[in-house]
Amino acid sequence: MSDTELTVTLSGGSTADARAVVRALEPAFGSARELPADQNATVHTATFDSSAADGPAAAAQGTADPLSAPVTVTVQGTPQAVEKASSTLARTFATHDQGSASGDQERERQLILEP
């Protein structure tokens, strides 16, 4: 992972739920490199160029399609990008923080998003 990349891993829910989560992050990070598309996948991954995370925070309350089921989301990248992604998701969905891990220059946080 480069120092300007935010990786988002999603499990649970449907492909449409994964797309809704990725789209909720776009106001803060710009477009993902690719939207989740495989209808048979049980885990979806999206990456963003997190250099946009150095800019202003996303708008107060995001809007997104409602989730059909709980989605477990793991965000991994620079501490600033992970914090911005976590706060963006918390403004958009009912979110339960499941913990985080930090390295020298990288952080990982797991969230559960409720429908």
Side-chain angles (χ1 to χ4, degrees), residues 99-110:
S100 63
S102 297
D104 285 346
Q105 299 173 15
E106 186 173 283
R107 181 172 290 158
E108 179 178 295
R109 176 170 281 152
Q110 187 173 47

Side-chain angles (χ1 to χ4, degrees), residues 36-82:
D38 185 350
Q39 298 292 329
N40 297 317
T42 57
V43 175
H44 298 279
T45 303
T47 55
F48 296 87
D49 178 356
S50 69
S51 61
D54 295 330
Q61 174 68 29
T63 58
D65 293 333
L67 301 176
S68 67
V71 176
T72 300
V73 178
T74 303
V75 291
Q76 183 179 24
T78 65
Q80 298 85 357
V82 168

Side-chain angles (χ1 to χ4, degrees), residues 13 17 65-71 92-96 112-115:
D17 293 330
D65 293 333
L67 301 176
S68 67
V71 176
T92 308
F93 301 100
T95 307
H96 303 282
I112 296 178
L113 310 181
E114 297 289 340

Side-chain angles (χ1 to χ4, degrees), residues 77-92:
T78 65
Q80 298 85 357
V82 168
E83 188 58 39
K84 188 171 186 176
S86 299
S87 64
T88 299
L89 292 172
R91 285 189 304 270
T92 308

